[in-house]
Amino acid sequence: DAGVTQSPTHLIKTRGQQVTLRCSPKSGHDTVSWYQQALGQGPQFIFQYYEEEERQRGNFPDRFSGHQFPNYSSELNVNALLLGDSALYLCASSHPESSTNEKLFFGSGTQLSVL
Amino acid sequence: AQSVTQLDSHVSVSEGTPVLLRCNYSSSYSPSLFWYVQHPNKGLQLLLKYTSAATLVKGINGFEAEFKKSETSFHLTKPSAHMSDAAEYFCVVRGQAGTALIFGKGTTLSVSS
């Protein structure tokens, strides 16, 4: 059983560009959350998707947007990239019975570098 | 607002000696607390969770944590460190809205032979 898979694993972009990161949740999971982990810091919550709707959002600007597809996979889009967007982006999924995120499963992340 | 503070950015121990990773929390209500571990190039893994059922929580790989309300602490311990325990450890509290997790800055655990 595959866990949470993210693609690509690494990405290099330049300032002002746009990027799309992808996440496939663990089988049977319907909720996807995205986190940003800057170097030397703990992950920060970006937003969560459930039933193709954004359920909760952290303190991130509108340049960060997302989408969830009917098969529960998700995309994170970042527009007008800034140098400060360089980070590891983590996707996490959870089971329908774990709406309080007590059993989050994380992917290995996408390392985004903005030059 | 909920928050956690990890008191040590780096802890070094010898193999076979005890591990103590310290975490203090701030919460306006009874918190849900977690410890996660992050090995290089691997996803975050849940070690253990506290959700008010018992103050002493046992997790995977011999780790445990004790919730102390009077001290607002949730320290992670292990009686005997193993080389494979070397990793980044995060103390986490569930956010007020119930969905977001709020992570501490992490503690890097180094284990020497």
Side-chain angles (χ1 to χ4, degrees):
Chain A
D1 175 30
V4 179
T5 57
Q6 294 186 242
S7 63
T9 55
H10 295 83
L11 203 52
I12 299 175
K13 292 284 188 179
T14 56
R15 282 178 298 174
Q17 285 189 313
Q18 179 265 342
V19 68
T20 297
L21 311 181
R22 295 176 175 82
C23 171
S24 293
K26 183 176 171 62
S27 178
H29 288 188
D30 64 353
T31 303
V32 173
S33 303
W34 287 92
Y35 287 79
Q36 180 196 65
Q37 185 176 14
L39 189 63
Q41 302 293 318
Q44 279 195 289
F45 176 75
I46 303 175
F47 42 53
Q48 183 182 83
Y49 276 83
Y50 172 70
E51 292 188 343
E52 303 179 50
E53 297 280 337
E54 184 182 288
R55 184 156 72 174
Q56 187 184 358
R57 187 180 183 90
N59 189 24
F60 278 80
D62 292 344
R63 297 186 298 109
F64 289 77
S65 63
H67 187 77
Q68 186 177 35
F69 299 93
N71 67 353
Y72 308 126
S73 67
S74 177
E75 289 182 349
L76 165 65
N77 301 292
V78 186
N79 294 322
L81 284 167
L82 304 174
L83 295 179
D85 295 332
S86 295
L88 179 69
Y89 288 85
L90 297 167
C91 173
S93 71
S94 55
H95 188 274
E97 295 178 359
S98 180
S99 60
T100 54
N101 295 302
E102 291 179 11
K103 291 186 178 180
L104 271 186
F105 289 80
F106 282 84
S108 298
T110 294
Q111 184 65 54
L112 172 65
S113 299
V114 182
L115 306 179
Chain B
Q2 283 63 248
S3 67
V4 288
T5 302
Q6 294 184 243
L7 302 178
D8 306 291
S9 59
H10 197 172
V11 170
S12 296
V13 300
S14 299
E15 193 174 22
T17 64
V19 175
L20 171 63
L21 305 183
R22 299 182 297 163
C23 173
N24 288 348
Y25 71 89
S26 174
S27 178
S28 54
Y29 56 91
S30 182
S32 290
L33 294 161
F34 311 80
W35 276 97
Y36 276 84
V37 62
Q38 187 176 38
H39 287 95
N41 301 317
K42 289 191 175 182
L44 285 155
Q45 183 183 20
L46 178 65
L47 276 179
L48 50 80
K49 62 182 180 182
Y50 165 77
T51 53
S52 76
T55 57
L56 184 62
V57 182
K58 294 188 183 299
I60 61 172
N61 301 334
F63 284 94
E64 62 181 37
E66 186 172 8
F67 175 76
K68 292 187 176 180
K69 185 176 181 180
S70 61
E71 300 176 9
T72 62
S73 69
F74 189 58
H75 301 335
L76 182 70
T77 61
K78 183 174 181 178
S80 176
H82 192 272
M83 295 294 287
S84 61
D85 295 328
E88 191 78 12
Y89 290 79
F90 293 97
C91 182
V92 182
V93 64
R94 185 191 302 152
Q96 191 163 3
T99 52
L101 296 181
I102 300 168
F103 286 74
K105 291 187 176 182
T107 299
T108 302
L109 175 64
S110 300
V111 182
S112 58
S113 57

